[in-house]
Amino acid sequence: MSAESRYAQQIITELEGIEFETGSDIRKYTERVRRLSRALAMELEYSAQELEASLKDLPPADGESHMAVRRKARSIARHLRRSAEAQRTVGIEAVRTWGSMVKHFEHLIKPKKRRKTIDLES
């Protein structure tokens, strides 16, 4: 099991324990989702590189060049790279969840500061 996999499992365990009772819980959850998606994106990116490298070494079919094998390997690994990009998007959207929460429920999250007035007449 890779370090990224262990890290992802740890974050998933943390996510399971978070209840949406306070604003800080929601923020904590979205930050953990962002970290998880970053770890998964890294794992997918590494896996894409490893897969492409191992497929490049396969022997070509009859009448096929080594260049064609490399092109096929790159094409197959592209799917994992797109998955990694999708995971990065998951992290971005999680962070946007918190931003949207602040935007729409700011009055509940951050109480407005009262301006101090200075009495100049006294």
Side-chain angles (χ1 to χ4, degrees):
M1 180 180 291
S2 70
E4 286 85 11
S5 298
R6 283 190 296 271
Y7 182 65
Q9 285 180 342
Q10 175 189 357
I11 294 173
I12 289 171
T13 303
E14 292 173 7
L15 285 172
E16 291 171 347
I18 297 174
E19 299 292 329
F20 295 121
E21 295 174 354
T22 64
S24 61
D25 288 344
I26 296 167
R27 183 178 185 130
K28 188 187 312 180
Y29 187 86
T30 58
E31 288 174 354
R32 297 281 192 304
V33 169
R34 181 182 55 84
R35 286 189 353 208
L36 176 62
S37 66
R38 185 183 299 159
L40 288 172
M42 295 279 289
E43 178 64 31
L44 288 166
E45 198 66 50
Y46 292 144
S47 297
Q49 290 174 3
E50 290 174 8
L51 178 64
E52 184 176 351
S54 55
L55 291 177
K56 280 182 181 179
D57 294 336
L58 293 176
D62 292 338
E64 192 176 50
S65 68
H66 287 285
M67 181 82 85
V69 172
R70 285 191 290 263
R71 189 173 36 248
K72 288 178 181 180
R74 189 171 44 249
S75 176
I76 293 168
R78 186 178 307 127
H79 296 288
L80 283 178
R81 287 194 177 92
R82 286 181 183 161
S83 298
E85 185 59 36
Q87 273 308 130
R88 286 188 279 275
T89 302
V90 168
I92 291 168
E93 291 302 320
V95 171
R96 286 181 178 168
T97 301
W98 174 249
S100 183
M101 174 77 176
V102 170
K103 177 182 174 185
H104 296 290
F105 292 100
E106 181 179 18
H107 65 283
L108 297 175
I109 297 172
K110 298 179 182 177
K112 293 187 178 184
K113 295 180 182 178
R114 296 182 182 170
R115 291 186 179 181
K116 292 184 180 179
T117 57
I118 300 173
D119 187 13
L120 298 175
E121 295 179 13
S122 323

